[in-house]
Each structure stands twice: as structure tokens, then as C-alpha cells.
Amino acid sequence: MLSETVIHARWIAPVDGRRRWLENHAVVIRQGRIVSILPSDEAARAHPDAERVDRPRHLVVPGFINAHTHAAMNLMRGVANDLPLMPWLQQHIWPLEARFMSRAFVADGTDLAMAEMIRGGTTCFNDMYFFPDVAAERVEAAGMRAAIGMILIDFPTVWAASADEYLDKGLEVHDRWRNHERLVTTFAPHAPYTVSDAPLAKMRTYADEMDVRVHMHIHETAFEVARAVQDNGQRPLARLDALGLLTPNLLAVHMTQLTEAEIARCAAAGVHVIHSPESNLKLASGLCPVQTLLDAGINVALGTDSAASNNDLDMIGEMRTAALIGKIAGDDAAAVSADTALEMATLAGAKALGIAADTGSIEIGKSADLCAVDLGAPETRPVFDPIAALVYSATRQQVTDTWVAGRALMRERRLTTLDLDALAARNNAWGDKLAAHGASNQENQRHAQ
């Protein structure tokens, strides 16, 4: 194996706040790190013995960071459609999880999700799901980067029987992976309506002591907010603020229902917002006021949510949707520009996860987490602005290569660490089981009527 790799590209978008893109440049990688960014002819002369990767029609960008996922739910893609959030959860998703959740389910679902993400240029994802120990093992095997959520819910599941057990098992996961170069952990309380005050207070103490992020669905729907006011007289954010959770460690997912005062409070507290536009649209949850949040100084990252509610993990598609609906939500065609969308999908995600010193932009010293997108296809020609072409015209099928820490996880559309044929066989078996369960439930309901 050569000690150096030099990736030559038609364009490089560093997302470094200084240059929009560089033309005919190369990224020099040594031991998984970016050691130089040079004009291609200079790089060729300076590194004649390095492995040379030529991508003459491509835009190279930082690997996408999917800042909100439930990876194993890829096995439930399409099981329930055209429903609002609570009926979708209560009548379909939670019953399936109660019936089928297992270590094998999470292993196979996570592998399927990672195959999809790598093929779309995603190098890192922030996960929230059962059996986080299994998810971490699958990430390690596949070579991706991830934030693994230490899930917390009030009610018992196959993963844990009580809030204390959720926390104890989560801490075990944290201790096992705490020094891993590609894995971090977060506390992952599901939502204000599924976690009560006492567990949240205990978790907050751990999070403060350990300086660990907290990843939580918050203000996802108007129903959630109204129900909270009805039940305890407080909007969810106010309750979380009273518990001391509004800090720079909070990753608030969705945030479609916000007042001016709440935006100001989140900005003052340093809260990060994770925007999942396609899931919000599909579940009719609402529109996150992205440009207003950005104007207030809030870091806004981008995530797909699960393939059960999206129904894909396509970060290029998510960027386009975020940019387009951001203009409607802000009543301004200049809102959520292509450059902003790309930053939300890369560096903003790294900042939210606390890993921006290591990834999220193409800069000397950072990990070589990259993807290459072929802009030479008819669908993206001519290219006047490669970033706009990526966000508004390209598709994930145009991603040809994905690298994490300099290692090619996909090379010219071929995965190197995951076997698609083996994955297909396992995923088809799960699909048959879930479909049979759904058919059986429908038959039982028919007889009951």
C-alpha cells in the first residue's frame, strides 16, 4: 500500500470559509490526513510516487455528515406512508419495533443504511436507535465515522427495562468506544413526550460531567407543543430549559414550531439545530425557519431522519430540499443558498457533533473524509458554478468515490467494505417477515370489524 494518495479533481470545494472552490487542484493524503492542497501540476511534481486518483470531471467536497438518523430503520422503509407523525409512530412503527427489534435487526439495518449512505457520499452519521453497541460494531467494520446515540426512553423495550438501565447500558457503550478515532457517543433521549423529568435531569448531569452531546427530537409538530402545554403548562423548550438542557451540547432535531423568543433563547444558549426537511414534509410536521435561525447565529446542520419517514438517506437530495423550502419559509429567493446548504451538510454537522477539528471541511491536518461527484453527466452540464450544480442539479448516483480517513469505502461506484449481494439477501428476509406481520395484522383487524 502506497504511503500517499493524491486525488486530482476538476473542482474542489473546501467549505473552509475562504474559497468557494478551487479549479484543477489536488488533495494530498498521508496516513489518512490531508497534508496539502495544491494545483494539480504542482502536486504531480511534488508527489511523483504517490497513488494517483484522477477525477477530471468531478467536484470533490467534504464527505456529507448526516446529522440525524435512525439507521437500522432502513429495514422499515415504506412500511407506512401518508400519515402524520403520531399515527405513524403509534400504529405502525412502535408495534413493529416491539415485535421484531433485536441485535440482528439492528446489525442488518445499519449495514443497509451505511451502504446507502456511502453510495451517496455520506462519511459520517449521527444515530439514535436501539442496540447502539451493535451499531457501533457495524460502523467499525464498515469504516465509516459516526456518533452513536445512547438512547433514553421512559418505557421498557428489548434494549432496556427502565430509565436507569438505558443510562447504564449507554454508559457502557460510551466507555467501550470513547477513544475510537472514528466514533463518538451522544446521549439520545427520544423526545420530551417520551422522557420524563427525573431521567432527563440525571442524564443532564452525566452529559455535563462528560461533555457529551445530547441528541433529541424537539418541537417537531404543533400537536407535540400543544399537548405539552395542555399537560404541564409549558412548551417543551421551556421545560428543557428549566432542566438545564439548553446548552451548546444540545442537538435539537426538527424545531418546526418556534417563537421569536425561543429562537433568541436557543441562540444565546448555543443550541445546535438539526434540520430534516424531507421527513418534516412527508409527515406534514411543519417547516423549520432555517434562515431565521442562521441569521440569529444558530448553527444549523442537516439530517435525513430515518428511511422509514423520508424515505431515503440521500444528503444531496436533502440539500436541494433544504435550499428550496428554505426560500419559501423565508419568503426570500436568496435564503438558504447552495453554499449554505453544502455547509449545513458538512461543516455545520461536524460542529454540531463536536468533531469539526477533525472533519467537515477540506483543510490541512483534517481527516481525509471526502466524496467525489461526477458533474460531467448531461444532467449537470454545462457547469457555471459547481456548488450550485451539486445542490440544484446533481443526484446521488453521480457520487463515484467516498473516502473516510483516506480509505476508499467506495471506488468508482463499487463498495469496498460492504457486500451488496449478501446485504440484499438479509434485507429481503427481513422484508418478508415485516410484510407477513403487516398482512396478518390487517387480517385480524378485518375479522374484528
Side-chain angles (χ1 to χ4, degrees):
M1 178 174 150
L2 294 172
S3 60
E4 286 187 333
T5 300
V6 182
I7 301 170
H8 297 264
R10 177 69 175 83
W11 302 277
I12 295 170
V15 195
D16 62 0
R18 299 189 301 275
R19 304 153 294 182
R20 292 191 66 221
W21 70 77
L22 304 167
E23 293 193 56
N24 299 312
H25 270 60
V27 180
V28 182
I29 302 166
R30 184 183 304 133
Q31 295 181 338
R33 295 271 164 184
I34 298 167
V35 296
S36 191
I37 304 165
L38 298 168
S40 282
D41 54 353
E42 291 183 26
R45 289 194 299 269
H47 303 273
D49 299 323
E51 175 191 14
R52 182 180 176 117
V53 178
D54 286 308
R55 296 294 179 261
R57 311 191 317 175
H58 295 61
L59 169 65
V60 170
V61 297
F64 303 124
I65 296 175
N66 190 340
H68 176 59
T69 58
H70 310 279
M73 291 181 76
N74 263 53
L75 293 179
M76 292 188 279
R77 189 197 320 265
V79 298
N81 298 291
D82 306 322
L83 294 168
L85 176 65
M86 295 315 295
W88 177 79
L89 276 174
Q90 294 171 344
Q91 299 170 25
H92 298 274
I93 299 303
W94 287 346
L96 282 174
E97 289 175 339
R99 171 68 180 82
F100 290 103
M101 191 50 51
S102 67
R103 299 180 71 83
F105 184 101
V106 171
D108 290 343
T110 302
D111 280 354
L112 176 62
M114 288 191 295
E116 178 178 357
M117 286 190 279
I118 292 168
R119 283 163 56 89
T122 294
T123 54
C124 176
F125 65 101
N126 180 29
D127 202 36
M128 176 196 288
Y129 211 55
F130 305 103
F131 296 103
D133 56 335
V134 174
E137 290 166 1
R138 301 317 303 155
V139 171
E140 162 63 17
M144 284 192 77
R145 190 179 301 279
I148 301 297
M150 300 176 283
I151 193 168
L152 176 61
I153 319 175
D154 276 351
F155 50 83
T157 65
V158 67
W159 169 242
S162 66
D164 283 343
E165 188 178 3
Y166 281 108
L167 290 170
D168 289 345
K169 295 182 81 168
L171 293 173
E172 290 174 8
V173 173
H174 172 81
D175 289 343
R176 178 179 173 186
W177 298 100
R178 64 190 303 172
N179 296 316
H180 195 279
E181 61 182 4
R182 289 183 284 105
L183 286 168
V184 297
T185 54
T186 70
F187 284 105
H190 172 258
Y193 57 87
T194 53
V195 190
S196 53
D197 284 0
L200 284 175
K202 188 172 184 179
M203 179 213 67
R204 190 218 72 205
T205 299
Y206 284 136
D208 290 349
E209 291 174 350
M210 299 159 58
D211 194 24
V212 170
R213 297 300 208 244
V214 175
H215 172 204
M216 188 179 198
H217 305 93
I218 303 171
H219 283 221
E220 184 171 0
T221 66
F223 174 81
E224 171 199 341
V225 175
R227 183 63 182 267
V229 172
Q230 176 184 320
D231 289 348
N232 56 45
Q234 285 181 304
R235 289 167 65 88
L237 268 172
R239 174 177 159 235
L240 297 177
D241 198 4
L243 289 167
L245 282 166
L246 267 58
T247 75
N249 276 337
L250 181 61
L251 280 57
V253 183
H254 298 303
M255 299 284 271
T256 70
Q257 314 293 320
L258 294 171
T259 65
E260 291 183 6
E262 287 167 341
I263 292 171
R265 177 68 187 108
C266 287
V271 170
H272 304 269
V273 170
I274 313 300
H275 182 36
S276 297
E278 293 188 3
S279 179
N280 291 342
L281 289 171
K282 187 166 185 285
L283 296 170
S285 297
L287 299 178
C288 177
V290 172
Q291 192 61 52
T292 302
L293 296 172
L294 294 170
D295 291 344
I298 294 173
N299 181 51
V300 182
L302 197 61
T304 61
D305 212 327
S306 77
S309 66
N310 187 303
N311 291 13
D312 59 43
L313 307 181
D314 176 5
M315 287 293 286
I316 292 180
E318 210 74 27
M319 283 193 293
R320 179 176 302 115
T321 302
L324 295 178
I325 70 169
K327 300 173 192 312
I328 293 296
D331 193 25
D332 181 1
V336 192
S337 68
D339 292 72
T340 297
L342 177 58
E343 183 171 346
M344 288 168 62
T346 55
L347 185 58
K351 290 177 179 177
L353 296 176
I355 56 175
D358 203 46
T359 190
S361 59
I362 303 177
E363 299 183 76
I364 293 171
K366 286 196 175 186
S367 179
D369 297 355
L370 312 166
C371 76
V373 185
D374 183 0
L375 298 183
E379 291 80 4
T380 41
R381 282 189 178 273
V383 179
F384 300 109
D385 181 324
I387 295 174
L390 170 68
V391 173
Y392 294 126
S393 302
T395 67
R396 60 178 169 174
Q397 285 75 25
Q398 290 170 254
V399 176
T400 59
D401 305 82
T402 303
W403 296 268
V404 173
R407 179 187 184 188
L409 304 189
M410 182 172 70
R411 184 182 294 112
E412 296 182 294
R413 294 298 295 170
R414 295 189 299 274
L415 296 180
T416 65
T417 62
L418 289 163
D419 184 331
L420 287 180
D421 291 336
L423 269 176
R426 299 201 303 273
N427 301 148
N428 288 341
W430 282 112
D432 291 343
K433 290 179 183 178
L434 269 66
H437 177 75
S440 174
N441 275 355
Q442 289 177 6
E443 182 67 13
N444 291 337
Q445 290 171 10
R446 187 177 68 83
H447 284 301
Q449 290 174 351

